[in-house]
Amino acid sequence: MRNTILYRARTAVLALAASCMALAPVAEACTRLVYLGPDNNVITARSMDWKLDVATNLWAFPRGMKRNGEVGPNSLEWTSRYGSVIATGYDVSTTDGMNERGLVANVLWLVESEYPKPEPGKPGLTIAAWAQYVLDNFATVAEAVDALEKEPFILISDNVPGETRLTTLHLSMSDAPGDSAIIEYIGGKQVIHHDRAYQVMTNSPVFDQQLALDAYWKQIGGTVMLPGTNRAADRFARASFYVNAIPKAEDPNRALASVFSVIRNVSVPFGITTPEEPNISSTRWRTVADHRRGLYFFESAVTPNTFWVDLRKIDFTPQTGKVLKLDLGTDQDHTYSGDATADFVPSEPFRFLGVEP
């Protein structure tokens, strides 16, 4: 009986995977995972996989910054309630980051995304500032979900910088208590998946189908066999198994080491080319956020060191806090060691990539 169930599940999964592969154009791949350890030790890791240099730098933003949705006269406006440390894409968007309350936001590629059309009278928000809006305004996932369910803005996308294809992303959030949520736009409608159990997100297919694929591999058991390719569904299965299989270490540094090992396991080797799978790209960098201790780790694929930023050492106050930048260089090849918080320098803030609705 069990073999029959597994056979049917396998058949369904293979059909689903084949359809996803057939529909997927050139896209980028990333992985996000959340470790839930003892003593409320929560760690979020993500990889950034991109075919070219994504021109990432690290920035620190204080509270009290006035923001604009950058979509013309009907743009959403807000003032940041929380300071944050973020990683950019092309220095025109926030791709990843953690705020001073321990909320983490990550955006990953999702080719199936379809965003709503602008509505008269409803403010718009550029997709380049989607993650930053979350970091600026909320302390927990539940708080963010409660606000976003009311759809206070229309999310508006545009082409990837320097390319002719539309930016199609989905958003993950995780917080210090270990809660998680995934937000996607499918068929022009916002879809929110909110549960502490949603520890892993990759790319295609859409999240509910990722959960179905994951259920299949859980029936087999990760100690028996795990898929080993760089495809999003396979990375999801490996990340889902390993993030819960690693020891739940009492020592937070040991826990960090385990989480780093998992996100490296689901990374794509630097420089790899897969002609028959153009949607697979090399891992450019990885981040690991220690929610409880306020540490944000960064690891480039082309430098020998992992370094970190200590959010507790940054002045986020609106009175004396400054916008700070850490220049990572071309391909993030600048080498920093240990605590690099002091290496940030005051800078004029970048402007989020504007979108014409």
Side-chain angles (χ1 to χ4, degrees):
M1 180 66 178
R2 182 175 182 271
N3 289 339
T4 301
I5 293 172
L6 285 177
Y7 173 78
R8 290 175 178 171
R10 180 176 182 272
T11 301
V13 167
L14 289 175
L16 175 61
S19 66
C20 292
M21 290 164 56
L23 292 172
V26 177
E28 315 309 333
C30 305
T31 304
R32 166 267 198 188
L33 57 90
V34 182
Y35 165 88
L36 303 173
D39 298 326
N40 297 317
N41 187 18
V42 178
I43 302 170
T44 296
R46 75 84 53 88
S47 61
M48 168 59 80
D49 302 352
W50 202 251
K51 63 179 180 178
L52 301 170
D53 178 18
V54 72
T56 296
N57 291 299
L58 299 189
W59 293 75
F61 294 134
R63 295 173 231 129
M65 293 187 69
K66 294 188 180 301
R67 305 283 198 189
N68 184 295
E70 300 293 351
V71 294
N74 196 30
S75 293
L76 183 71
E77 295 183 353
W78 72 94
T79 300
S80 60
R81 298 174 59 199
Y82 304 108
S84 59
V85 169
I86 64 100
T88 62
Y90 302 101
D91 267 359
V92 296
S93 66
T94 294
T95 63
D96 190 88
M98 178 167 64
N99 72 17
E100 59 183 313
R101 295 294 297 273
L103 180 69
V104 168
N106 331 89
V107 289
L108 281 67
W109 195 264
L110 180 67
V111 71
E112 291 89 347
S113 300
E114 184 179 344
Y115 303 104
K117 296 179 180 178
E119 296 179 18
K122 192 166 188 177
L125 174 68
T126 172
I127 198 169
W130 190 16
Q132 193 62 53
Y133 176 82
V134 168
L135 296 174
D136 283 352
N137 287 288
F138 308 112
T140 66
V141 169
E143 184 183 346
V145 168
D146 183 61
L148 295 174
E149 281 179 336
K150 299 177 178 64
E151 301 193 54
F153 55 79
I154 295 291
L155 191 67
I156 299 176
S157 187
D158 202 353
N159 289 343
V160 176
E163 301 187 35
T164 58
R165 56 185 175 135
L166 187 70
T167 302
T168 52
L169 305 171
H170 53 171
L171 171 74
S172 67
M173 299 180 291
S174 51
D175 62 19
D179 198 7
S180 281
I182 312 297
I183 302 180
E184 300 176 337
Y185 282 87
I186 307 301
K189 303 292 185 181
Q190 178 181 253
V191 179
I192 299 179
H193 303 271
H194 179 201
D195 197 296
R196 181 183 174 88
Y198 297 151
Q199 294 170 255
V200 177
M201 182 175 86
T202 55
N203 313 105
S204 298
V206 297
F207 189 69
D208 56 355
Q209 294 178 9
Q210 288 188 10
L211 294 177
L213 291 166
D214 188 48
Y216 162 72
W217 285 109
K218 284 181 177 178
Q219 290 183 74
I220 294 177
T223 58
V224 176
M225 180 177 63
L226 281 171
T229 79
N230 295 324
R231 296 188 184 115
D234 289 4
R235 287 183 283 107
F236 190 105
R238 294 203 306 279
S240 181
F241 171 74
Y242 284 124
V243 76
N244 290 300
I246 55 178
K248 297 298 185 285
E250 299 287 346
D251 182 344
N253 290 331
R254 294 287 179 141
L256 277 170
S258 291
V259 173
F260 262 111
S261 69
V262 176
I263 197 63
R264 290 166 181 153
N265 178 278
V266 294
S267 295
V268 180
F270 187 75
I272 194 171
T273 57
T274 314
E276 67 276 14
E277 292 290 341
N279 58 309
I280 295 175
S281 299
S282 299
T283 296
R284 297 276 165 176
W285 48 259
R286 290 170 283 267
T287 60
V288 175
D290 185 325
H291 296 254
R292 187 174 66 179
R293 294 191 291 174
L295 301 175
Y296 186 71
F297 293 81
F298 189 91
E299 181 178 71
S300 171
V302 300
T303 62
N305 292 342
T306 299
F307 65 89
W308 65 88
V309 183
D310 190 340
L311 274 70
R312 297 167 300 180
K313 295 180 180 179
I314 297 175
D315 180 4
F316 288 120
T317 64
Q319 294 81 13
T320 56
K322 297 180 176 61
V323 175
L324 304 172
K325 177 182 178 180
L326 186 66
D327 184 3
L328 299 183
T330 303
D331 285 319
Q332 298 76 59
D333 64 357
H334 290 186
T335 300
Y336 297 95
S337 179
D339 185 351
T341 311
D343 294 316
F344 279 73
V345 297
S347 179
E348 288 295 314
F350 67 86
R351 182 176 178 177
F352 288 99
L353 182 65
V355 177
E356 288 299 327

